[in-house]
């Protein structure tokens, strides 16, 4: 994604716990405290994600409904191509929306 690991960025910085707490808060992580994450700094962490066709869909159900796009979970396999064409057409028309892939990249 072109950005360095957030834990590497925070290494040796005063207020590290404050920054880690902000990350935990942003992503609504309630099962860990900043002190729990300090140990992760000693590891290389790799994340493998699937950029499948459904990742092109709008990230929110409300946006899918507004754009008239059927949710991938409710879509019959034989209609998948039609919905992908609709999504590509909307993007070409300048109808910008945050895709599931965009949201995943932002989260990572």
């Amino acid at each position: 994604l072109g950005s360095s690991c957030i834990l590497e960025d925070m290494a040796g910085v005063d207020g590290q716990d404050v920054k880690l707490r902000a990350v935990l808060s942003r992503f609504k992580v309630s099962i860990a405290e900043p002190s729990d994450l300090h140990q992760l700094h000693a590891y290389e962490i790799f994340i493998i994600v699937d950029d499948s066709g459904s990742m092109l869909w709008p990230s929110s159900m409300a946006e899918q409904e507004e754009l008239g796009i059927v949710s991938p979970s409710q879509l019959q396999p034989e209609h998948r191509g039609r919905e992908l064409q609709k999504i590509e057409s909307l993007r070409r028309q300048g109808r910008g929306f945050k895709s599931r892939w965009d949201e995943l990249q932002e989260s990572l």
Side-chain angles (χ1 to χ4, degrees):
L1 295 177
S3 63
S4 60
C5 175
I6 193 163
L7 294 176
E8 286 179 12
D9 288 346
M10 291 187 271
V13 175
D14 291 333
Q16 184 177 23
D17 281 358
V18 172
K19 291 179 181 182
L20 287 171
R21 189 168 303 284
V23 170
L24 293 171
S25 175
R26 176 178 177 204
F27 294 104
K28 298 176 180 71
V29 176
S30 60
I31 61 170
E33 291 294 320
S35 59
D36 299 327
L37 300 180
H38 287 285
Q39 6 180 348
L40 294 177
H41 184 70
Y43 297 92
E44 283 190 86
I45 299 172
F46 295 88
I47 300 171
I48 300 171
V49 296
D50 173 23
D51 181 15
S52 65
S54 68
M55 296 301 280
L56 297 172
W57 260 253
S59 60
S60 76
M61 292 295 287
E63 222 169 9
Q64 289 176 23
E65 289 175 13
E66 178 185 318
L67 295 169
I69 298 171
V70 178
S71 171
S73 63
Q74 298 174 343
L75 191 60
Q76 298 297 322
E78 62 269 16
H79 299 295
R80 185 178 184 84
R82 184 184 68 210
E83 290 301 299
L84 280 171
Q85 287 177 345
K86 190 185 298 184
I87 290 169
E88 289 170 3
S89 175
L90 288 167
R91 287 198 179 267
R92 280 194 303 273
Q93 295 170 22
R95 298 278 309 265
F97 55 85
K98 186 186 289 189
S99 70
R100 295 173 66 205
W101 180 246
D102 296 331
E103 186 175 66
L104 176 62
Q105 290 181 81
E106 183 181 295
S107 295
L108 291 176

